[in-house]
Amino acid sequence: MNPAFGASLQVLGEVKVEEPSPLSPAEDMARVRQTLSGLTQQSAASLRFYRPQATAAFSPRDTSHPAHAAVMAMLEARGFRPGERGAGGQLAVYDESALVIDLVAPHPEPRENTRDRYRHFSGLMVKAFSQLGIDARMGEVAGEYCPGDYSVNAEGRVKLAGLAQRIGKHGYHMGAVISVAPSAAALAAVTDAYRMMDIPFTPSTFGAITDLAPSVSVSEACAHIANVMTEGLRG
């Protein structure tokens, strides 16, 4: 067991992928906030995998941007429903072609070992993608959307997954969004949104697992990732 994640992960049960999520983007994000705020040291860990509805996930700093209202209106007009996530970073736009992972768990010292949690969580995704035949690596690709040190990329050129972490009084939330299948709609939306917000973005860095492993279906890829992540977190 990795101590950065806490003992409660050892008793994780079987986790299924929700295809699709029955919740709206705002409800999905509210569920995470409520679970995190309601944690006690006796709480069970919650690990959820789901394919989301079309989502525009704004970070707290995005909401203070002068172009926020215009960007939100543009995205809503394209069918991407807005929500504000608790973690940092920048706007992420995704739809049912993605897989979202939310881990919320108690920890006696949640502010400790945050980087270890990032490294291990990202490392498990690298393992899962590699088993699909992808040259997966941890690290930021220049020009990627919502850049981060613990993003997961393919071949050092396209981003496949972004990670975020939020700390609560009695635990933490680790989240990830994985691009499983290509989405022209999401790519066009994030390109225009970043242009409106004057944020650097290189569209060619927007990748997807099934582009790199075309023999794998979306459902197969999602199930594989869920299995590898669940077993790896159990330790």
Side-chain angles (χ1 to χ4, degrees):
M1 182 197 73
N2 187 319
F5 287 88
S8 65
L9 269 66
Q10 291 180 296
V11 293
L12 282 173
E14 184 180 8
V15 179
K16 298 291 187 180
V17 179
E18 297 175 36
E19 299 190 74
S21 169
L23 304 179
S24 71
E27 289 170 335
D28 280 323
M29 294 177 206
R31 178 174 175 169
V32 169
R33 288 193 295 270
Q34 291 163 2
T35 305
L36 181 60
S37 64
L39 282 179
T40 69
Q41 291 306 311
Q42 289 71 46
S43 297
S46 169
L47 178 61
R48 182 177 178 227
F49 300 86
Y50 64 93
R51 292 177 62 188
Q53 299 180 31
T55 301
F58 290 90
S59 71
R61 69 171 172 172
D62 290 327
T63 61
S64 64
H65 193 284
H68 174 252
V71 170
M72 187 166 63
M74 179 272 290
L75 292 170
E76 283 191 287
R78 298 186 185 196
F80 289 91
R81 300 169 69 182
E84 183 181 343
R85 64 178 188 268
Q90 291 175 320
L91 170 68
V93 180
Y94 47 90
D95 55 21
E96 65 279 357
S97 65
L99 176 68
V100 177
I101 308 174
D102 284 321
L103 169 64
V104 183
H107 197 283
E109 298 292 342
R111 295 188 180 278
E112 295 184 2
N113 306 121
T114 56
R115 291 187 181 276
D116 284 346
R117 275 196 288 273
Y118 268 122
R119 280 191 287 267
H120 188 66
F121 209 76
S122 183
L124 288 174
M125 283 188 280
V126 168
K127 178 181 179 180
F129 301 169
S130 297
Q131 289 176 352
L132 295 174
I134 295 170
D135 178 5
R137 311 173 189 180
M138 185 188 306
E140 179 182 335
V141 174
E144 70 180 23
Y145 75 93
C146 192
D149 293 341
Y150 300 98
S151 296
V152 180
N153 71 75
E155 303 168 358
R157 61 180 182 83
V158 295
K159 179 173 183 172
L160 297 177
L163 284 74
Q165 182 172 185
R166 186 181 184 188
I167 304 301
K169 184 177 181 180
H170 294 294
Y172 61 87
H173 164 235
M174 284 294 307
V177 177
I178 301 170
S179 295
V180 180
S183 171
L187 174 56
V190 76
T191 299
D192 289 346
Y194 274 43
R195 176 184 53 77
M196 292 171 68
M197 299 173 76
D198 197 27
I199 299 173
F201 173 59
T202 304
S204 61
T205 63
F206 197 91
I209 287 173
T210 58
D211 276 341
L212 300 158
S215 64
V216 181
S217 72
V218 173
S219 291
E220 288 170 342
C222 290
H224 172 75
I225 294 164
N227 287 336
V228 172
M229 295 293 295
T230 303
E231 289 304 312
L233 290 168
R234 282 195 187 107

